[in-house]
Amino acid sequence: MLHRKLRRDLWYYRGQILAVVLVMVAGIALFVSLRSMNGYLRTSLEDYYRSERFGDVFASLRRAPLSVAGDIAAIPGVAAVEARVVADVILDVAGAEEVVTGRLVSLPDTGPPALNRVVLDRGRLPVHRGEVVVSAAFARAHHLVLDKRVGAVLNGRLQQLTIVGIGYSPEFVYEIRGGMEFFPDNRRFGILWIGRRELAGAFDLDGAFNDVVVRLERGAGERAVIDAIDDRLERYGGLGAYGREDHLSHRFVSDEIQETRVTSIFIPSIFLGITAFLLHIVLSRLVGVEREQIAVLRAFGFPARRIVVHYLAFAAVPMTLGAVAGGGLGLWLASALAEMYTRFFQFPHAVYRPDPVVFAMAFGVSAAAVLAGSVSAVRAVLRLPPAEAMRPQAPPVYRRGVVDWLGIGRHVGPEARMVVRGLERRPVKTLLSALGIAFALAMVTTGRYSYDSIDRLKDIQFHRADRSDVSVLFNEPRTPAVRFELDRLPGVTRSELYRVAPVRLRNGSRVHTTAIFGLEAGSRLRRPVDAAGLSFDVPADGLMLTAALADMLGARTGDEVEVHFMEGERRTTVAPLVATVDEMVGSVAYMQLDALHRLARGPVQVNGAFMRVDADRRADTRRILAGRPGVGGVTERRAMLASFEKTVEESFVISLVTLLVFSVLIAVGIVYNSGRIALSERARELASLRVLGFTRREVVRMFLGEQAFLVGVSLPFGMVIAYGFCWLISARAQSELFRLPLVVETKSYLAGIVVVLVAAALTALALRRRVERLNLVEVLKARE
């Protein structure tokens, strides 16, 4: 008999069940897809590093004889050393409209490297002069194939290089140039591997190296080895050794893995929490509506245990449907995300394979959500004495309400008074219904938060912080006199020099390796800008740190920070921290250029310049700069912005659209569920009003008036909850490289409000027909 009742209940509440299933599908799909990506990235990275012997410690330097590599190999704890030549050059690639920078990395002339091995996708390693292997991402971006040629400006001379291989390397999983660039742009930057003898000859490094990779023995102390390497390389212009955690590519991939780990827990938790909330409302109200039937079952001898199982089975149906459908959808999303990741993370053999553990966890968390939502309703069944339950439910205690206390009762009609009094006498249900609708608004607004934060990030980085038209980076430091050369370029109306000084900052026991970005006094083409979009002048003296860097160092304004320069005289001194700026990207320090020269001592030098160039002369300026000796890169802000927008479009659209669609589904589900359950509860009361003489229109107005009141009250609460969700996401998505700004635009709140109002309007249309068609005889009969 209970089985028949279960089937009838499921069919009777099919609308609410469907809404719960949709919410659960969204939560499970997000959990499966995000959790799968976390495992996919982590295992792919670990396998890749292990098989291709990715290094543990890295260091760049000016120039050192190869014998120094032997000294490094003798350091206790060092298992292997790879000394090489690395140089950035301007490339001449057919069809490329922008200036293309290539990073040339030397390969041993006698065989594959001991560390950071190149995995060939096609072709072979270089054997003869003029042969190179190009990275797969760069080859795809420029449609390069074997035997094709690219030009490279090697020490001021354009040479043609023939592509003999296309490959990957574990040190360029995330292939970016660095500096102020944070997204891969394989149209403007690529990796090329070339024979050591040829590259060393081009840069006057015969018998020498300017880059070294070290692999540690198991259990070796990384810090001790880094210090020992710094000691060995200090006299050769060492720029400071660093461990794998500070390797640029590894750090980006690690941050992404950490982010997927956080989001795979946090965002699905919100969805599944709402699922539990909805189930709790459905079941608790179902038990309330069926209290008489439950009492009859208990009176006929049905044990409480069987009745409890009946309601748990009722809750298990949406759980099973949601888990199965959500798992399948999550699998499809995971495949799509894995394909998207291959555009940014260069793995040679990574293939996404479904993880049974993730699916088991998905079923586990969905079961937990169902139990959390149904436990109180089931306990209510157990506490229900048959004799008491068979009596009609005691009427609420009527007393003067808000309308009466405020004295406005006589100014409103009886329908409005009944609406308000009906809500007042069920305060808990009213609160829960309003809370559910508020969650719906919050989810849609939260789903749009990523768009808002990315738009703010783009505006700050490409319109407020960087206001140059073209920037140039030199291979070697230049004197400030280079300004006269730049100012004579066609169309250049303003130029501002900058210096990037690698340093190790220490505050107490906290140490961090970073760079001091030296800007000219009154710089207008590049300025520190905080998350609110406010720009700041770099102080005349002392350090300005990004807020993230200050937190890492535990430094506060007024503290004396130890600065160890890792270039020039390698001076160690102290500088006062005079200001911080809450920048969204990077963790660097700022100083005025003159103050930085004084602090570092040694030769006055700069590393590059920002320029304002007339729009119709920028192509000429780029072309001239690209052909100048010593120029390592030329960047146009407009091209960087286009690349950023393309990257966002390709990488975030899938996840953002998915999250937004799921949020809308949840909103519709919650609003419909709230109204449908209210109709189930109030059907007998509404029918009684019809019997007492109220017209259909009056009854509909009273019922929908309650729903309209709940929607109206829930909107401001939903906006507050949405802001709280966005704050949590922003707080959890902080890394050394990126911080998501906490910005929720008005249009995002409006989107949430519109979705809730549209869902409420559609629900009202559906419920209106049901109220108008109430069968008074059937409704007033008790359901058996």
Side-chain angles (χ1 to χ4, degrees):
M1 186 178 74
L2 285 179
H3 294 309
R4 289 199 301 274
K5 181 178 182 304
L6 176 61
R7 288 196 296 272
R8 286 207 310 267
D9 285 344
L10 290 172
W11 179 250
Y12 187 77
Y13 291 100
R14 59 189 180 279
Q16 294 95 310
I17 294 293
L18 178 62
V20 174
V21 169
L22 287 177
V23 177
M24 180 159 281
V25 166
I28 295 298
L30 284 174
F31 177 83
V32 169
S33 58
L34 295 175
R35 198 71 185 176
S36 296
M37 285 306 94
N38 178 263
Y40 164 75
L41 289 175
R42 191 180 63 255
T43 56
S44 298
L45 193 69
E46 291 171 354
D47 293 345
Y48 193 18
Y49 284 177
R50 184 172 51 255
S51 64
E52 307 310 326
R53 295 175 60 82
F54 183 49
D56 297 308
V57 177
F58 311 83
S60 297
L61 58 148
R62 299 291 181 206
R63 187 181 194 280
L66 284 174
S67 59
V68 176
D71 296 340
I72 294 174
I75 295 173
V78 173
V81 176
E82 184 73 38
R84 56 190 191 171
V85 177
V86 177
D88 285 359
V89 299
I90 301 297
L91 299 179
D92 179 18
V93 183
E97 297 179 356
E98 303 293 336
V99 176
V100 181
T101 302
R103 179 158 299 165
L104 295 178
V105 181
S106 70
L107 292 173
D109 297 311
T110 55
L115 303 176
N116 295 359
R117 292 171 175 165
V118 177
V119 180
L120 287 172
D121 182 60
R122 279 161 286 170
R124 58 175 175 79
L125 293 177
V127 176
H128 307 290
R129 294 182 65 84
E131 294 181 341
V132 292
V133 172
V134 301
S135 62
F138 186 65
R140 282 196 299 270
H142 289 279
H143 308 290
L144 298 175
V145 295
L146 298 181
D147 298 328
K148 209 165 184 178
R149 294 164 71 88
V150 296
V153 180
L154 302 179
N155 257 355
R157 292 187 306 165
L158 179 64
Q159 298 185 27
Q160 293 298 319
L161 304 173
T162 302
I163 299 171
V164 297
I166 296 173
Y168 301 84
S169 170
E171 69 176 312
F172 299 111
V173 174
Y174 195 75
E175 193 171 310
I176 60 171
R177 184 168 60 177
M180 300 305 291
E181 296 184 14
F182 295 91
F183 287 99
D185 183 358
N186 301 115
R187 291 284 302 171
R188 297 190 300 111
F189 179 74
I191 308 297
L192 295 87
W193 291 272
I194 188 172
R196 188 185 191 289
R197 188 180 302 112
E198 182 176 5
L199 185 59
F203 287 90
D204 194 24
L205 288 167
D206 289 319
F209 66 96
N210 67 356
D211 193 271
V212 63
V213 182
V214 172
R215 190 174 180 86
L216 301 180
E217 294 176 346
R218 187 184 298 275
E222 180 185 277
R223 186 70 256 169
V225 173
I226 287 175
D227 291 340
I229 292 175
D230 282 343
D231 288 340
R232 305 294 194 281
L233 298 180
E234 181 175 350
R235 58 184 296 196
Y236 302 106
L239 300 178
Y242 54 91
R244 184 183 286 184
E245 291 303 315
D246 291 324
H247 187 277
L248 192 59
S249 169
H250 177 79
R251 195 190 304 172
F252 270 96
V253 185
S254 299
D255 282 353
E256 183 64 22
I257 292 173
Q258 173 65 15
E259 185 179 335
T260 56
R261 192 182 72 84
V262 172
T263 52
S264 67
I265 296 172
F266 179 70
I267 295 179
S269 297
I270 295 176
F271 282 71
L272 294 174
I274 293 175
T275 301
F277 175 74
L278 282 179
L279 269 175
H280 169 75
I281 292 178
V282 172
L283 281 176
S284 60
R285 292 185 176 182
L286 176 62
V287 170
V289 169
E290 296 189 343
R291 65 193 303 272
E292 295 177 17
Q293 291 92 320
I294 295 171
V296 170
L297 291 172
R298 296 284 302 278
F300 275 102
F302 275 86
R305 179 180 54 79
R306 290 188 60 186
I307 300 176
V308 167
V309 171
H310 163 75
Y311 285 101
L312 286 178
F314 181 88
V317 170
M319 181 207 80
T320 305
L321 293 176
V324 171
L329 183 59
L331 184 62
W332 178 81
L333 280 174
S335 300
L337 288 173
E339 183 180 349
M340 181 271 292
Y341 274 125
T342 59
R343 302 174 194 164
F344 303 96
F345 299 127
Q346 307 302 318
F347 294 110
H349 308 301
V351 177
Y352 167 65
R353 294 182 179 84
D355 186 352
V357 176
V358 172
F359 287 91
M361 291 172 65
F363 276 89
V365 295
S366 59
V370 168
L371 283 175
S374 58
V375 62
S376 62
V378 172
R379 289 176 59 190
V381 174
L382 295 173
R383 290 198 303 262
L384 206 59
E388 180 183 340
M390 291 178 70
R391 293 199 304 267
Q393 195 166 11
V397 177
Y398 287 94
R399 54 182 179 270
R400 289 167 61 83
V402 175
V403 174
D404 304 304
W405 281 107
L406 295 178
I408 59 176
R410 58 181 177 274
H411 301 297
V412 298
E415 297 167 13
R417 287 202 301 273
M418 291 177 71
V419 167
V420 176
R421 286 170 179 165
L423 294 170
E424 281 183 346
R425 73 172 187 260
R426 298 187 300 273
V428 175
K429 292 179 179 177
T430 299
L431 179 63
L432 291 178
S433 298
L435 190 60
I437 299 172
F439 270 122
L441 187 153
M443 289 308 300
V444 177
T445 304
T446 305
R448 281 192 53 86
Y449 164 64
S450 297
Y451 288 103
D452 294 340
S453 58
I454 290 174
D455 283 346
R456 173 65 65 87
L457 188 66
K458 181 176 71 174
D459 177 58
I460 289 176
Q461 289 304 119
F462 296 104
H463 297 294
R464 302 181 189 231
D466 185 356
R467 303 174 69 194
S468 68
D469 297 314
V470 177
S471 60
V472 58
L473 175 67
F474 304 123
N475 274 333
E476 295 292 335
R478 305 284 295 272
T479 67
V482 73
R483 181 200 303 278
F484 302 111
E485 296 180 33
L486 299 176
D487 288 345
R488 287 198 295 270
L489 292 172
V492 174
T493 59
R494 182 184 177 93
S495 64
E496 294 178 0
L497 305 175
Y498 69 85
R499 176 180 178 180
V500 179
V503 295
R504 185 168 292 149
L505 302 181
R506 178 189 296 275
N507 183 49
S509 61
R510 300 188 183 188
V511 181
H512 189 76
T513 301
T514 181
I516 297 179
F517 206 46
L519 298 173
E520 292 189 83
S523 175
R524 289 295 173 264
L525 301 184
R526 179 66 175 86
R527 303 177 299 181
V529 178
D530 70 4
L534 300 176
S535 61
F536 296 84
D537 289 328
V538 179
D541 208 353
L543 288 167
M544 170 187 273
L545 303 185
T546 58
L549 179 56
D551 286 342
M552 281 188 279
L553 292 172
R556 299 290 180 268
T557 302
D559 288 350
E560 294 283 337
V561 178
E562 181 183 294
V563 182
H564 174 66
F565 287 93
M566 294 185 290
E567 64 174 9
E569 297 182 359
R570 304 181 70 86
R571 184 171 181 244
T572 299
T573 182
V574 294
L577 173 58
V578 297
T580 61
V581 55
D582 185 19
E583 284 199 320
M584 294 293 93
V585 175
S587 299
V588 299
Y590 289 99
M591 289 189 76
Q592 276 199 8
L593 195 55
D594 293 337
L596 178 57
H597 292 329
R598 290 194 299 271
L599 193 69
R601 296 184 181 171
V604 176
Q605 56 190 24
V606 295
N607 301 96
F610 299 103
M611 292 176 288
R612 182 159 290 165
V613 185
D614 292 337
D616 56 348
R617 307 301 302 273
R618 286 173 195 163
D620 295 334
T621 304
R622 290 200 315 266
R623 178 177 50 77
I624 294 172
L625 282 172
R628 290 277 176 91
V631 171
V634 180
T635 303
E636 189 172 350
R637 181 172 58 91
R638 186 187 59 181
M640 289 179 62
L641 176 58
S643 171
F644 177 86
E645 290 174 339
K646 183 181 178 184
T647 302
V648 170
E649 181 182 352
E650 291 179 348
S651 61
F652 295 110
V653 162
I654 294 177
S655 54
L656 294 185
V657 169
T658 300
L659 184 60
L660 193 56
V661 169
F662 284 171
S663 302
V664 171
L665 284 178
I666 284 181
V668 174
I670 290 177
V671 173
Y672 175 78
N673 225 333
S674 176
R676 189 67 183 82
I677 291 172
L679 177 59
S680 300
E681 289 181 334
R682 306 287 304 281
R684 178 186 290 267
E685 184 179 334
L686 296 174
S688 300
L689 291 174
R690 289 287 313 284
V691 171
L692 291 174
F694 283 81
T695 66
R696 282 192 176 90
R697 179 173 297 180
E698 289 171 332
V699 172
V700 168
R701 277 207 300 265
M702 276 188 279
F703 177 70
L704 296 184
E706 284 187 13
Q707 302 306 307
F709 181 84
L710 289 173
V711 170
V713 168
S714 67
L715 295 182
F717 291 104
M719 295 166 70
V720 173
I721 294 172
Y723 191 84
F725 282 166
C726 295
W727 178 84
L728 283 174
I729 293 175
S730 173
R732 297 298 302 175
Q734 306 296 316
S735 71
E736 184 180 339
L737 298 173
F738 280 108
R739 271 80 60 190
L740 274 182
L742 179 57
V743 51
V744 187
E745 299 289 350
T746 303
K747 59 186 178 185
S748 294
Y749 288 122
L750 289 177
I753 292 173
V754 168
V755 168
V756 168
L757 292 180
V758 169
L762 294 176
T763 302
L765 286 175
L767 297 182
R768 176 182 177 178
R769 284 197 294 270
R770 285 180 174 272
V771 175
E772 289 177 341
R773 296 173 183 173
L774 279 176
N775 187 323
L776 304 187
V777 177
E778 289 296 324
V779 170
L780 291 175
K781 288 195 303 184
R783 293 179 61 221
E784 298 298 336

